[in-house]
Amino acid sequence: MAPITVAHYLAVGAVMFVAGVLCMVTKRNALGVLMGVELVLNGANINFVAFGSKLLRAESLGLDGQFIALFVIVLAAGEAAVALAIALNFYNNHTTIDVDRADDLKG
Amino acid sequence: MMTLAGMDWHAIYFWLFALLTCGFALAVLFSANVVRMAFYLVLCLGASAGLFFLTGAEFVAAMQLMIYVGGTLVLLVFGVMLTAHSRFVSLRTPSGEWILALIAGSALLALLLSAALKVPDWVKANPDRAAISAADVEATTPIGMGFAGVRVDKLSQTDPQLLGGMSGYLLPFLIVSIHLLVVLIGAAYMARAKRRAAAVDEGAV
Amino acid sequence: MAELINLQILNRLLGWAGVDLPPSHLAGAVLAALVHGVILLGIVAVAAMFFIWAERKVAGRIQDRLGPTRVGGRFGWLQALADGIKLLSKEDVRPREADALLFRCAPYVSFAASFTAYLALPFSDGWVAQHINSAVFFILAVLGLEVFGVILAGYASGSKWSLFGAMRESAQVVSYEVPLGLCVVVPVFICGTMNLVTIGNMQTGWLTNWLVFHDPFTFAVFWVYFTCAIASVNRAPFDLAEAESELVAGFHTEYSGMRWCYFFMAEYGSMLLVSGLATILFFGGWHGPVPVFDMLGWSSMGGVLQYVAELAGAANFLIKAVVGVTVMIWVRWTLPRLRIDQVMTTCLKYCTPLAAVCFLGALGWQTGMFGLAAGPLWSPNQLMAVKQRGEYRESWVLKAEAAAAAEGSAAQAGRPAASGDRDEPDVSGETEPARSSATGAVGSPLSRKGGVG
C-alpha cells in the first residue's frame, strides 16, 4: 500500500468540494443549497489541515493550517445561522422553499 | 509475517475515512430527499473529523464534531423539519441541469485532482515520518496560546521581519467573536415571527 | 503499566492455547483490541441492565412500593434480563408512513454516539481506550451527536408526536450545550489541560484535593454542570422529548422491541458517561476520598501491586459514577416535568449566567484576585506528600520522553530529545528506561494503533 501523502487528502478535499459545488448548482431546495456550502467549506478545511500536518510533510504550514480551519468552522456556523434565517424568511413570505421560485425581481 | 510494524495503520484508516467521506458527500449530491441529505451530510462531516484526527489535528477534529456536526447541522436539520412539507421534501432537478452540472463538475474535479497530483512536494511521503511521535504533533495548548496572541510553536523563528508578524491570532479571534455576536442578533431579527405585527394591526383596526 | 500487564496476560493466555506469537504480531493486536472493545461494551451493557433494575427499584421505594421482587430470587435482580428477553421477542413494527432507511438507522446512531464517547473516557490511571489530548471536548462533542438519532427517529417515524418530540429535543440539546461547555471549561483551565487522565491525576490524594472543593466557584459550577448534564441526556425533569402526558412517548412512540431497547441503552450509557465525566472533572476520578493505595505506596510501585491499585482506582471511579446516576434516578422520580418554556428559561436565564459567573469567579480565584492565596481552599498537600502538579503529564508523553531519553542515551549524539521544550525530561528518564524499552516496543503500537503513530 502506497504511503499516504498530502495529495491523498487533497483528493478527498477535491471530491467534497466538487460535490458541494454541484449541490449548490443543482438543488432546488434552499436548505440543499446550504448543505452544498457546508460541503465546500469542509473540503477546503481538509486541505488546510492536511497542509498543516507535520505528519504528512516535513515543511508543513504548521499550526496556521489548524488556525484557519478553526476560523472556517466558526464562520461556517455563523453563515449557517444567517442563511437559515434567510431561508425561513423566504419560506414565510413565499410559502415555498424552492429557490427557483424566488423570482420576484425578474424583469 | 504480518506484524504491527508491517501494517500501515495510517493508510488503512485513511482509506476507510476517505471512502466514507467521499461516499457520503456524493450521497448528499445524488439524494433527492432533503432529510436524507441532512443525514448523509452528518455522516460525511463526521468521517472528515476522522480524517482530521489522522492528520494529528485532534483539537480541530473535536471542534468539527462539536460546532459543525453538533451545532450547525442540528440547526440545519431544525430548518429542514420546519419546512418539511411533503411537497418540498423531494424537489426533482431537471435532467438537463444534471447533465450540464455533471459535465462542469467532472471538469472541475479533473482540474483539482491534476493540480493536487502535479506538485512533486505533495505526492512525496514525509521521510521523517517514523521519527515523529504523537507528542510532537500535540497542538492543543499551542493553539490556545496562538488565539491568545502568543505563537509558542514559532519561537524558533529568527528572521526579525517574520517575527514581526508573529503576534498570533488575537485580532482575528476578537473580530470573529464580534462577528458571531452580530450574526446572533441579525439572525434573531430576521427569523422573528412577523405574524405578530399583523395581528396587532388587525387588532387596532 | 496496565497495558504491559494486559499484554503479559494475553501472551500467557495465548501460550495456554498453544499459540506462540511474537509480541508485535498483528493477530495479538487485533485480539487485544477485541478484548478491550468487548470489555468496554460489556461495561456499558451491564451498566444499562443494572440501571434499569435500579431505576425500577428506586422508583418503587420513592413511590412507597417494593418494585420488582420476584425475578431472580430476592430483590428481583434479574428483572432487567427478563425485560430484555421480553423486548427481544417482541415484534419489530414499522409504520407504513415511516422512512424505512432512517427509521432503521436512528437507534444505532443514538447508541453509537453514546458508546463512541467511551473511547476517550479513562476508567483509571491510563486506562483509556484512546489517548486523546482534547478528550473533554471530544466527549462533549460526541455526546452532542446523540441528538441526531432522536431527530431522525422523530422525523422518520412519520408521526406528529414523534416530530414534536424531536423538535423539542433538538432545541433543548443545542441550548444546553452552551452552559454545559462553560461549566466544563472551569476544571479544564484550573488543570491547564483537556486530557482527562491528567485532570484525574491532578486530584490525587485526600478528598480535599478534589476540584469540587477547590474553591467556592467550582463547588457552585458542579451543580450547574449536573443540572445541564441531566438536561443534555434528556432525563426528567427535562425529558420533554418523551413527555408521556403530552406526546404519547415522544420520539420513540413508533419504536418497539430491540430498536426501542437501543434508545434506552443509549440513554443509560450517556447517563453513566456524564456522571463519569463529572467524577473525573470534579470528584477526583479514580483517586478516592482516602488515598489508601497512595499511602501504601502501591500506586507507584510498578508490577502487580500497581496493577491492583489501578484496578481499585477503576472500581472507585465506577462507584462514584454509579452514585451520580443514582442521583439522576432519584431526581427523576422526585421532581415534576418542566414545561418547554421553563426548560428554556432554566437554560438561558439561570444556567448560562450562573456558569458564566462561576467561570469568571474561578478565573479570579485562580489569579488571586480575591486577596486569597491562589489554589485550593485548604492546603491538602500538607496531609500527605504528593507530586508537584507539573509532574503530571499525559502517560504517552511520559512514554515518548522516556523513549527519547533512552534513544538519546544509546546514541549519545545526534539530535536532542524530542521533548526538549518540556520541563525535566531527565526525571522521567532516570526512572523509566527499563519500562520504556518494553512498552516502547510493545505497548505503544497496541495503545495507539488507531492514532497517528
Side-chain angles (χ1 to χ4, degrees):
Chain A
M1 207 181 282
I4 302 301
T5 62
V6 176
H8 287 84
Y9 284 89
L10 297 191
V12 177
V15 171
M16 273 182 93
F17 185 87
V18 171
V21 169
L22 290 190
C23 252
M24 285 154 68
V25 175
T26 57
K27 297 293 175 195
R28 284 169 61 202
N29 191 320
L31 297 166
V33 177
L34 193 53
M35 290 179 202
V37 177
E38 307 292 340
L39 275 179
V40 165
L41 290 173
N42 217 61
N45 248 357
I46 288 185
N47 288 11
F48 278 123
V49 172
F51 277 126
S53 171
K54 283 183 196 159
L55 295 170
L56 299 174
R57 276 170 89 210
E59 293 292 316
S60 76
L61 193 57
L63 280 187
D64 295 284
Q66 296 192 29
F67 278 116
I68 294 172
L70 284 171
F71 278 119
V72 168
I73 290 174
V74 173
L75 289 178
E79 167 262 344
V82 172
L84 196 70
I86 293 175
L88 289 183
N89 237 352
F90 174 60
Y91 179 72
N92 280 341
N93 291 337
H94 291 73
T95 59
T96 178
I97 198 73
D98 184 355
V99 282
D100 289 351
R101 305 272 296 278
D103 51 4
D104 286 0
L105 290 180
K106 211 172 188 177
Chain B
M1 192 178 71
M2 288 177 71
T3 60
L4 268 180
M7 298 294 290
D8 190 352
W9 289 103
H10 182 239
I12 292 173
Y13 282 99
F14 170 80
W15 286 114
L16 175 70
F17 285 125
L19 284 180
L20 283 176
T21 309
C22 295
F24 284 119
L26 293 176
V28 172
L29 174 60
F30 291 116
S31 168
N33 183 327
V34 70
V35 183
R36 287 204 184 172
M37 277 167 62
F39 179 54
Y40 295 142
L41 189 63
V42 170
L43 297 179
C44 172
L45 297 189
S48 70
L51 285 179
F52 292 165
F53 270 111
L54 281 185
T55 57
E58 291 181 350
F59 187 71
V60 179
M63 275 298 149
Q64 161 104 352
L65 283 178
M66 191 156 189
I67 300 179
Y68 228 121
V69 186
T72 310
L73 286 188
V74 171
L75 205 65
L76 202 62
V77 173
F78 205 68
V80 167
M81 291 202 301
L82 282 177
T83 58
H85 278 238
S86 51
R87 63 200 161 105
F88 303 131
V89 165
S90 304
L91 287 171
R92 302 265 166 214
T93 309
S95 28
E97 279 184 28
W98 267 119
I99 293 167
L100 266 182
L102 283 181
I103 291 171
S106 42
L108 181 59
L109 185 63
L111 183 73
L112 287 174
L113 286 182
S114 69
L117 295 174
K118 205 154 266 177
V119 180
D121 191 31
W122 295 351
V123 292
K124 196 176 61 190
N126 189 356
D128 312 331
R129 178 64 197 282
I132 301 176
S133 74
D136 291 335
V137 294
E138 196 276 289
T140 313
T141 313
I143 285 178
M145 299 294 279
F147 278 128
V150 186
R151 291 300 300 271
V152 287
D153 56 318
K154 291 280 176 75
L155 289 179
S156 55
Q157 180 68 261
T158 48
D159 187 348
Q161 202 170 4
L162 286 176
L163 210 54
M166 211 48 78
S167 55
Y169 285 84
L170 184 58
L171 183 63
F173 188 65
L174 288 178
I175 292 175
V176 162
S177 42
I178 301 290
H179 175 265
L180 281 184
L181 183 66
V182 172
V183 162
L184 189 72
I185 297 170
Y189 175 75
M190 282 178 67
R192 78 193 190 286
K194 296 249 172 47
R195 296 195 192 95
R196 189 170 295 162
V200 168
D201 287 347
E202 282 166 20
V205 172
Chain C
M1 181 47 62
E3 285 153 10
L4 194 61
I5 293 199
N6 285 349
L7 206 73
Q8 283 173 355
I9 293 172
L10 186 72
N11 281 344
R12 180 72 57 82
L13 283 176
L14 287 175
W16 281 338
V19 185
D20 188 27
L21 289 177
S24 62
H25 194 279
L26 179 65
V30 169
L31 200 62
L34 275 179
V35 168
H36 284 100
V38 168
I39 288 175
L40 209 51
L41 193 64
I43 286 176
V44 178
V46 170
M49 285 184 65
F50 172 72
F51 291 139
I52 287 171
W53 172 78
E55 177 118 46
R56 301 180 68 147
K57 217 54 191 164
V58 171
R61 287 298 173 175
I62 287 176
Q63 295 169 348
D64 212 7
R65 296 183 283 117
L66 285 175
T69 52
R70 305 242 173 105
V71 189
R74 289 173 67 79
F75 310 123
W77 61 280
L78 274 180
Q79 184 66 42
L81 194 66
D83 285 351
I85 293 171
K86 184 195 78 175
L87 285 171
L88 266 176
S89 57
K90 267 190 164 181
E91 187 189 354
D92 183 29
V93 185
R94 183 167 61 77
R96 202 182 322 125
E97 296 290 311
D99 184 326
L101 174 74
L102 297 185
F103 187 83
R104 291 206 191 100
C105 285
Y108 306 120
V109 172
S110 255
F111 181 70
S114 165
F115 182 59
T116 307
Y118 279 90
L119 265 186
L121 187 77
F123 285 81
S124 184
D125 186 7
W127 287 26
V128 51
Q130 180 71 34
H131 289 279
I132 295 175
N133 219 288
S134 34
V136 179
F137 270 9
F138 179 79
I139 287 181
L140 282 188
V142 175
L143 201 63
L145 301 188
E146 204 194 327
V147 66
F148 275 109
V150 173
I151 293 177
L152 286 177
Y155 174 77
S157 296
S159 149
K160 282 275 184 287
W161 305 122
S162 304
L163 192 61
F164 279 140
M167 296 201 44
R168 284 179 176 188
E169 161 104 7
S170 55
Q172 179 184 332
V173 167
V174 171
S175 311
Y176 271 93
E177 248 175 34
V178 176
L180 196 67
L182 268 177
C183 294
V184 163
V185 162
V186 173
V188 165
F189 79 69
I190 287 174
C191 291
T193 176
M194 282 196 266
N195 189 314
L196 284 172
V197 178
T198 318
I199 291 178
N201 277 340
M202 279 185 181
Q203 307 171 56
T204 182
W206 293 80
L207 81 163
T208 45
N209 269 356
W210 291 356
L211 281 176
V212 69
F213 302 128
H214 184 269
D215 58 58
F217 300 102
T218 50
F219 187 76
V221 92
F222 163 71
W223 299 102
V224 183
Y225 169 85
F226 201 70
T227 312
C228 298
I230 292 178
S232 71
V233 298
N234 274 308
R235 291 285 297 182
F238 300 103
D239 60 344
L240 269 294
E242 44 188 294
E244 68 267 8
S245 53
E246 307 158 28
L247 297 181
V248 189
F251 65 91
H252 56 66
T253 305
E254 307 293 345
Y255 281 88
S256 64
M258 219 35 214
R259 291 185 208 284
W260 182 84
C261 193
Y262 274 110
F263 278 122
F264 262 67
M265 300 251 292
E267 179 177 330
Y268 285 103
S270 15
M271 275 165 71
L272 185 64
L273 189 82
V274 290
S275 299
L277 196 59
T279 302
I280 296 174
L281 290 179
F282 295 102
F283 288 100
W286 41 93
H287 292 293
V290 182
V292 180
F293 290 97
D294 287 339
M295 284 199 235
L296 291 174
W298 287 14
S299 46
S300 53
M301 200 171 265
V304 178
L305 289 183
Q306 186 178 347
Y307 191 78
V308 170
E310 286 171 1
L311 202 64
N316 187 356
F317 169 80
L318 281 177
I319 288 171
K320 287 181 203 166
V322 168
V323 168
V325 176
T326 313
V327 173
M328 285 188 185
I329 294 175
W330 174 20
V331 166
R332 171 175 175 181
W333 294 102
T334 307
L335 295 179
R337 182 177 297 123
L338 298 179
R339 269 198 330 261
I340 182 72
D341 62 312
Q342 290 169 331
V343 169
M344 287 299 157
T345 311
T346 312
C347 172
L348 297 173
K349 283 194 182 165
Y350 298 106
C351 285
T352 309
L354 268 176
V357 166
C358 289
F359 174 82
L360 291 177
L363 201 65
W365 191 280
Q366 199 68 0
T367 50
M369 196 189 283
F370 299 109
L372 298 161
L377 265 185
W378 304 278
S379 42
N381 289 359
Q382 289 169 353
L383 291 175
M384 63 173 294
V386 292
K387 283 198 277 185
Q388 288 298 310
R389 263 174 51 175
E391 285 178 44
Y392 288 105
R393 266 164 294 160
E394 293 82 347
S395 52
W396 56 272
V397 173
L398 287 174
K399 211 175 283 173
E401 283 174 0
E407 185 185 292
S409 61
Q412 290 294 339
R415 61 189 199 119
S419 48
D421 55 333
R422 293 186 173 78
D423 44 350
E424 81 240 345
D426 49 334
V427 172
S428 52
E430 63 189 33
T431 57
E432 298 284 77
R435 249 177 79 184
S436 70
S437 57
T439 44
V442 179
S444 52
L446 259 185
S447 62
R448 289 197 56 81
K449 68 180 175 350
V452 291

